[in-house]
Amino acid sequence: RLGLAFPHSPAQGYEVLPDLGLGVVRIGARWSALEPERGVYDFATLDHRIVPLARLGVTTFLTLEPDHPAFARHTRHVLNGTPRDMMQWADLVTAVVERYDGDGIDDAPRLKRPLGYIQTGNEFLSPDNRSGGWRGSTGALIALFEATYMGTRRADPDLPVVLGGITAVNADVAVLNRTGARFEIHEDWSADHHFVLRPDEARRGKWAAMLRDRMFPVLSQAPHDIADVHLYGPVTRDAARLALMEHHSGRPVISSECGGPAIDYGTPWTGHRHYAAVLERNLATWASG
């Protein structure tokens, strides 16, 4: 069955998801909403999303966002703040997993299906990504993943812990840096800013440093069960992206976020092309193993 990332927050309309063939839905949850005071948890908003999905037989993929302005640093610049106390963060993760693991202990009322995946550190490679990002050290980032893994395992020994997703651009930088691939990376950040990165540029300077000092150490050292790469842009690059992530992580790889068509490469957006890209990405991924 297909997956869907980030439906709208109110649960109205969720009943159509199974009829669309959707079996997994990814949602985000912010620390600032889950723990208004230290050690005091508020699961109301999350209950209103996960419980209806579970009732419909849909598995939840939960991405936790450490954005708490009181309990984490750097939250004015990125969504993934650096927790001031990693044990406090681990305790939050344990509380969340315990509520949605379906073991009958402290579960959300009327929960019919356990959580399927848990994740944090979405798109952690950029210091300016407001959809994720990271401004702390690589050591602190690995500590975040360690605390998340420990917090999960205290409540559920089997729940898959997914590493924060790698953006398509950064996956492409890694492919260019570590293989003989020859292609350009494009990104349209705004109407007047078109970014182009050429193969030789991806093999030196800040891009090589990003891979050496952040991406590859995290993939090899941070505890996780599944790696994650976001698939945007040309579908023909997906097999190389997935293979490289699997090689450096040593674990299976999932794509928790993908889309198309990529207007960065001059493809016009239409409803037809958007949905055709879903089929193309799935078929290409299955065909490549």
Side-chain angles (χ1 to χ4, degrees), residues 77-78 80 122-130 132-135 167 170 210 214:
H77 304 283
V78 290
N80 295 319
N122 181 57
E123 298 190 348
F124 58 81
L125 287 171
S126 169
D128 301 302
N129 185 340
R130 293 187 177 274
W134 184 260
R135 284 211 166 194
T167 67
N170 288 318
M210 178 265 290
R214 177 69 49 94

Side-chain angles (χ1 to χ4, degrees), residues 60-127:
T60 297
F61 181 124
L62 181 62
T63 300
L64 293 174
E65 299 156 348
D67 72 323
H68 207 300
F71 302 146
R73 301 179 180 89
H74 313 305
T75 55
R76 293 177 61 185
H77 304 283
V78 290
L79 190 59
N80 295 319
T82 306
R84 299 177 185 274
D85 183 342
M86 287 295 178
M87 286 307 301
Q88 181 186 1
W89 171 257
D91 289 343
L92 170 77
V93 174
T94 298
V96 169
V97 174
E98 189 59 66
R99 189 164 182 87
Y100 303 110
D101 62 1
D103 65 356
I105 302 172
D106 295 328
D107 286 346
R110 300 178 299 280
L111 181 70
K112 301 295 184 183
R113 191 181 189 93
L115 193 65
Y117 307 87
I118 193 163
Q119 176 186 57
T120 196
N122 181 57
E123 298 190 348
F124 58 81
L125 287 171
S126 169

Side-chain angles (χ1 to χ4, degrees), residues 125-160:
L125 287 171
S126 169
D128 301 302
N129 185 340
R130 293 187 177 274
S131 298
W134 184 260
R135 284 211 166 194
S137 67
T138 297
L141 179 59
I142 293 173
L144 174 74
F145 291 129
E146 290 173 341
T148 303
Y149 200 87
M150 178 183 69
T152 300
R153 288 290 164 262
R154 289 191 304 201
D156 189 332
D158 301 315
L159 178 63

Side-chain angles (χ1 to χ4, degrees), residues 29-46:
R30 297 195 171 197
W31 191 6
S32 55
L34 292 171
E35 191 174 3
E37 300 177 40
R38 183 169 184 134
V40 177
Y41 303 124
D42 183 352
F43 296 114
T45 302
L46 208 47

